[in-house]
Amino acid sequence: MIHLTNIDKYYDSKFQRTFVLKAVNLEVKEGEFLSIMRPSGSGKSTLLNIIGLLDEPSTGEYSLYDKSVLNLKEKAKVDYHRNFMGFIFQAYHLIEEMTVYENIETPLIYKGVKSHDRKAMVADLLDRFNMVAKKDLFPTQLSGGQQQLVGIARAIIGKPKLLLADEPTGNLQSVQGEMIMETLQELNKEGMTIIQVTHNEKFAEYGKRIIRLEDGIIRKDLINQIAHVPMIN
Amino acid sequence: MIKHFFTSMYRNIERDKMFTFINLTNLTIGFTTFILLGMVVSYEFNYDKSNKNFDRIYRVQTKQEDSYPTNYCTFSPAAIRYHLMADVPEVEKALIMREISAGQGSGQFFTLPSGAQLFEKYGYFTENAIFDIFTINIKEGNTTNALVEPSTIALSETLQQKLFPEGGAVGKQVVIGKRYPLTVTAVYADFPINSTMRPTYLVSISTYETLAERKGFRDDWTSIDNDNYVLLKKGTDPRLVDSKIKDAFKNVKNFEKSTPYLYPLSKHHLSPNGQSDTLVGLGILSLAGFLVLILSCVNFVNLSLANSTRRASEIGIKKVVGFPKKAIAAQFLTETVVVTIIAMIIGLFAAQAASPLMAQILEKNIEYRVFENGQLLLIVLFTGLLAGLLSGLYPAIVLSSYNPVKVLKGKLFVGTGKSLNLKKVLTATQFSISLFMLIVSFILYNHVNFILNKDLGFDNKNIIYSEVKVQDSIDFETIRQKLLQHPEIVDASFSSTIPFQGNIGGYVTWEGAAQDQREMISRNYVNYDFIPTYNLKMMAGRNFSKDYPSDNKSCIINETALKVFGWTDPIGKTITLFGTPYPVIGVVKDFHPYSVHNPIPSYVMFLGKEELTGSKLLTVRFTPGNEQKAQELVTRELEAFVPNDPFEFKDFKVIFYLDSAISFWQSLKRLFFMFSVVTLVVSSIGLFGLILFTTKRRTKEIGVRKVLGSSVFSIYRQLSYEVFAMLGGAILVACPAAILIYKTMPGAYKEPLSSLVFLVGIALIAIIAQMTISYHVIKIAVSNPVKALRYE
C-alpha cells in the first residue's frame, strides 16, 4: 500500500545541511499495524507527516497503491485527507469550541454526507466508544483518555483505510494509554492499516511490526512474531 | 455546513467575550462615525433634490471680469429675464426673483392680528412661473394666476399660521411695512429644510413695479440685483445656452466685460458663487469618516491576527480532516462579514440615536433620518460588506494557509516574521490615522480661533445696528444729539452699508490709471460719524468734517484701494465714479467689510446727506455692559421720529457670528474635534488589544525571564521600542498629509502653520501609547511568574 523509497528530509542552513530523515525505505502493507519508535527529535513525526501528506520529502519517492503522491495538487491532497486517511495527535487537538458530537461530525461535513446520515454515523461511534452520555460535553470537560477517544472517533468516522497516530498516548496515564492502544488494535483487526509513532516500548508492542528510527535512519525493522499479550507486571 | 460555520462562530464569540467585546465596540464606533458623517454629507448633497426639475433648473449669474479677482455675482439684471431669455429657444421657462427688503438686508415687517410687528425674512418679489419651475406644494388657493396681479401675495404655511391662526387666508389682506396692503392668493407648504432658497412669502413682481414706480424695470440692464432662474428644455446642454447668451452685455455701456452664464441648481448649496468652502469641508469630513472606519477595520485585522493562535488547532484539524483551504478561508471571511454587519446594524441605530447631537453641533435645525435615506443605507451596506471582506480577507488567507503540521505543534508564529511585520505596518497605519486626525483638528481649531480673533480693523464690540427705511426725511444730527444725551450712548452714525452687512459695488477710474483701466470697488455712503463710531483708524489725511463744505464731493479710500491705485501721496488725488471726480481726503487702515474669509476689497467712502431718508443702516455705540439699556433707549428715541416705519435693533455680534464662513468653520471644528476624540478612542482600543494579545503570547517568556531575574524594565523597554518605531513611521505619513489639508483649506486669511500643532499631536499619541504599554507591563510585573509558567 505505502512505498517509501530513499526518502530524505533535510533543512539547509547557511553552512550545513541537517538531515531529519535519511535514505528511508519503507513498505507498509494493507492491514499492518506499524509502530515507529525512538526518542523525540529522531524524525518520527516528520516521517508520519510525509506519509500523511502534510509534509514533503526533500528527495525520494513516495507512492500509495503504486501511484506517486509527491507534488500533489492541494485538491488531490484534500481528497486523500478526506477519504483515505485519518489522524490522531498527542495533544488530541479537539476543537475546543465544539461539543464531542460536533467534533466527531466535523470530517463528514466536507465529505458531503447528509445531516441525517451524519447523525447515524456519529451515534454509532459514540455507542461503540461508550460516550453517548458525553456527546454534548465540551472537550475540556473530558479526561485525557476520553478526549483521545473522541480524537480516534473523529479520525475514523470517515472510514479511512489508513490511520496515522502521532504519539496517541503521549499525554495519557498508562491505564488510559492502554485503553487507547486496545482500541487501535481492535480497529486494526477490523482491517484498518495503522501507523503510530511512539517512544513508549510497551505501547509500541501493540503494533504488529516495529521500526526503530535513529537520527533519521531506520536502524531496526522487526515483525512481532508473537501476538501481543497484555503485560500485567 | 453553513450551520457548522455559524455554530463555530457562535461558540468562538461565546468563548472569548472580551475579545468579541473589544472587536465589536471597535467596529461599532467605526461604523457609527462613518454613518453619522455619511448622514451629514448625504444631507448636504441632497439639497434642492426635492425639485422634480432639479437637473434642469439654472440661475443666470453674472461674471464680471473687470473686477479683481473676477467677480461671480449670483444676480443678473431684470432685462435678462424679460429680453434675453425670451429669445433663447432652449429655455422652457424663465423666472425673476427679487428679495424683498426693508433696508439693506432681506425681510419685511408684517402686522400681526394683535397689531404688533412681525419681521419675516426671505420674502421674494416673483412671478407665477415659480410654481412651474420649482416643486411647490399648494395648500390653499391656486397657482394659475396667484402672482400675476399687483398687490398679491402667497404665504408659506408657517407664516400663514402666524398671520391667520384660524386659517382661511386666501382672499384676506395682509399689511407689510405698516403701509402696504396685499391680498393673499395662495398658501403653500414650506420649502423643505434642505432647499437653498426657502421663501416664506412670495409677492407678485408687478407689485414691485407699481410700488417702487419702476416703469423701466423690465428693460434695466445695469442693476445687477435679481435672481433670474431658467428651466431648460429636456436634454439641453447648458453650455449651448451659455454660448448663446455670452454676448448679452456687449452693448451695455460700462458692462462690456460682464458675461451672463448659467449656474446649475445642483451647485447652489455646495459651492455657492463658486466658493468651495462647503465642498472642501464636506470632503474633509468624508475623509474623516472613511479614516475612522479604516482605522477600526485595521484594528479588526490586527486583533484577528493576534487572536488567531487561539484558533490554530481548529484550523489545523480542519485541514487534516480534509477541509479545503477555500472552505477555511470562507469560514473566517463569513465570520468577519457577519461581525461587521452586526456592527454596522448597531452603528445604524447608534447613529440615528446620536443624530440630534449632530444637528446641535452643526447648529442646524435638521432631523436626520438614517432609515429613510435609501441612498445612504445602500452606501453603508456596500461599505459594510466591503469593509468586512477586506478586513476578513487577509486574516482568512493567512489563517487558512497555515501549515497544519506547524499549527498543531503550536509553532504558529515561530519563524514567520512576515505576519508580524504586517502587524507592524497596520499599527503604524493606525498611528498615522490618529495622528493625522489629531493634527487636522488642531489646525481647524487654530483656524477658527484665528478668524474669530482676527483683528477686523474696527471695534465690533458694544455696537447695535438697525435697518431703517424712512419715508420722509429727518435731520440726523437732531436724532444723534437726542441719543447722545444718554450717558450710555457713546456715538451714533448712519451709512448705506455696515461691515458684514450689505455691499454696493461700482467701477472707478483714478488719477494715473491707464486708458481703459477700471476697478470694481465697494462703496459706502456714510455720515460724519461713521469712522469714529466704528473706531476705524486713519492712515493718512482726515475724516469728513463739517468744517469743509466741499467734503460732500470728496472721498476716503482704504489701504487696499491705495495699493491698487498705486499712489504714494494719495491726499488730493482724484478717483472718478460714474463720470464724477472725487478728490481723496483720507485713507483708512484696512478693515474687513465682509466675511474674514474673503480678501479685503478696494473700499471707498463717500459722504451722504446728513439726513435720514430711504433705506439706511443706523449704528449706535454704547458703553460696555449696557447693551440691553442702549437697545431700549435707542428704540424709544427713534420710534418718536419714525412712528410709521418699523425697525428693529440688533447686536452687531449676531451678524458677526452668523457670518457663514465663521459658523461653517466652527461647526467643522467641533465635528472634527469630536471625531479626533473618537479616533483616539478607537486607536487606543486597537493598541490595548494588540498589546494585550502580544503580552498574552509572551506570558511564558516573561515568566521565564522573571524567574531568571530579568527586570521588568527590559520587557518594558522592548515593547516601547517596537511601539515607538511604528510611531516614527506614522509621523512621516501623517504630518505631510495634514499639511496638505491645511493647504487645500479655502480662505484668504489663514494662520501660518505652527510646529506646536504637530508636536502636541505627536506627544498626545506617544502618551497614550506609553500608558497602554505601562498598563500591561505593570500587570505582568505584579503577576506571579509561577502562574505564567503554568499557562497552557
Side-chain angles (χ1 to χ4, degrees), chain B residues 146-188:
Chain B
L147 296 172
V148 176
E149 296 301 312
S151 300
T152 50
I153 185 170
L155 302 177
S156 65
E157 218 175 348
T158 309
L159 184 58
Q160 174 252 312
Q161 277 155 10
K162 288 183 198 163
L163 295 172
F164 302 100
E166 71 289 350
V170 171
K172 292 194 179 147
Q173 287 210 324
V174 293
V175 177
I176 64 170
K178 279 192 179 174
R179 61 183 82 227
Y180 308 113
L182 303 173
T183 310
V184 178
T185 50
V187 175
Y188 56 89

Side-chain angles (χ1 to χ4, degrees), chain A residues 159-177:
Chain A
K159 302 204 168 60
K161 286 213 162 67
L162 177 63
L163 183 62
L164 300 170
D166 192 353
E167 305 254 13
T169 54
N171 284 11
L172 297 177
Q173 292 159 358
S174 59
V175 181
Q176 287 184 323

Side-chain angles (χ1 to χ4, degrees), chain A residues 45 49 54 78 81-82 87 89 93-99 102 106-107 109-110 138 154, chain B residues 1 4 7-8 11-12 15 310 313-314 317 319-324 327 404-405 408-409:
Chain A
S45 295
N49 287 335
L54 296 174
V78 165
H81 287 151
R82 236 183 248 175
F87 287 85
F89 305 91
H93 288 314
L94 301 179
I95 302 174
E96 287 179 34
E97 293 78 30
M98 295 193 172
T99 61
E102 286 160 349
T106 310
I109 288 172
Y110 245 91
F138 286 94
R154 181 178 62 190
Chain B
M1 183 165 61
H4 168 82
T7 323
S8 159
R11 297 272 167 73
N12 265 302
R15 193 173 142 212
R310 249 207 43 229
S313 73
E314 181 188 337
I317 283 302
K319 286 201 121 179
V320 157
V321 301
F323 271 56
V405 177
L408 293 176
K409 279 196 172 157

Side-chain angles (χ1 to χ4, degrees), chain B residues 524-586:
Chain B
N524 190 5
Y525 293 87
V526 301
N527 79 332
Y528 295 107
D529 313 298
F530 181 79
I531 289 177
T533 305
Y534 278 93
N535 280 345
L536 297 182
K537 303 275 174 302
M538 297 302 297
M539 212 175 115
R542 56 175 179 85
N543 185 12
F544 297 115
S545 160
K546 286 174 185 165
D547 304 337
Y548 298 85
S550 63
D551 273 2
N552 61 356
K553 289 272 183 297
S554 56
C555 68
I556 295 174
I557 61 173
N558 73 346
E559 221 179 318
T560 306
L562 178 64
K563 273 180 219 143
V564 171
F565 300 154
W567 294 330
T568 41
D569 178 24
I571 309 302
K573 295 260 172 28
T574 59
I575 61 167
T576 309
L577 175 76
F578 301 140
T580 316
Y582 293 86
V584 174
I585 58 159

Side-chain angles (χ1 to χ4, degrees), chain B residues 79 85 109 135 299 336 461 467:
Chain B
M85 287 310 161
F109 289 88
T135 305
N299 267 349
T336 320
K461 292 180 189 74
E467 305 158 14

Side-chain angles (χ1 to χ4, degrees), chain A residues 87-172:
Chain A
F87 287 85
I88 308 171
F89 305 91
Q90 176 174 3
Y92 331 129
H93 288 314
L94 301 179
I95 302 174
E96 287 179 34
E97 293 78 30
M98 295 193 172
T99 61
V100 166
Y101 178 90
E102 286 160 349
N103 261 295
I104 300 175
E105 186 193 27
T106 310
L108 298 180
I109 288 172
Y110 245 91
K111 277 182 97 169
V113 180
K114 289 209 177 81
S115 158
H116 169 79
D117 297 336
R118 288 208 297 260
K119 238 178 224 169
M121 289 165 83
V122 177
D124 266 1
L125 270 183
L126 285 169
D127 195 34
R128 173 171 182 176
F129 290 155
N130 284 324
M131 297 193 74
V132 178
K134 300 197 165 63
K135 78 176 170 67
D136 289 325
L137 295 183
F138 286 94
T140 44
Q141 296 166 301
L142 301 176
S143 73
Q146 286 168 332
Q147 288 194 44
Q148 193 58 294
L149 272 184
V150 176
I152 295 175
R154 181 178 62 190
I156 63 169
I157 190 142
K159 302 204 168 60
K161 286 213 162 67
L162 177 63
L163 183 62
L164 300 170
D166 192 353
E167 305 254 13
T169 54
N171 284 11
L172 297 177

Side-chain angles (χ1 to χ4, degrees), chain B residues 554-620:
Chain B
S554 56
C555 68
I556 295 174
I557 61 173
N558 73 346
E559 221 179 318
T560 306
L562 178 64
K563 273 180 219 143
V564 171
F565 300 154
W567 294 330
T568 41
D569 178 24
I571 309 302
K573 295 260 172 28
T574 59
I575 61 167
T576 309
L577 175 76
F578 301 140
T580 316
Y582 293 86
V584 174
I585 58 159
V587 180
V588 283
K589 280 202 153 170
D590 270 345
F591 65 99
H592 279 276
Y594 321 128
S595 168
V596 278
H597 188 68
N598 298 331
I600 294 173
S602 305
Y603 192 87
V604 182
M605 284 177 271
F606 301 95
L607 187 61
K609 266 193 198 151
E610 193 64 358
E611 53 190 33
L612 216 49
T613 178
S615 159
K616 288 277 148 43
L617 281 152
L618 211 68
T619 311
V620 175

Side-chain angles (χ1 to χ4, degrees), chain B residues 111 114 148 334 350 459 462 557 594 606 631 644 707 767 776 791:
Chain B
T111 308
S114 64
V148 176
T334 318
D459 184 359
N462 307 319
I557 61 173
Y594 321 128
F606 301 95
Q631 204 148 341
N644 299 321
V707 170
I767 289 170
H776 288 294
Y791 180 75

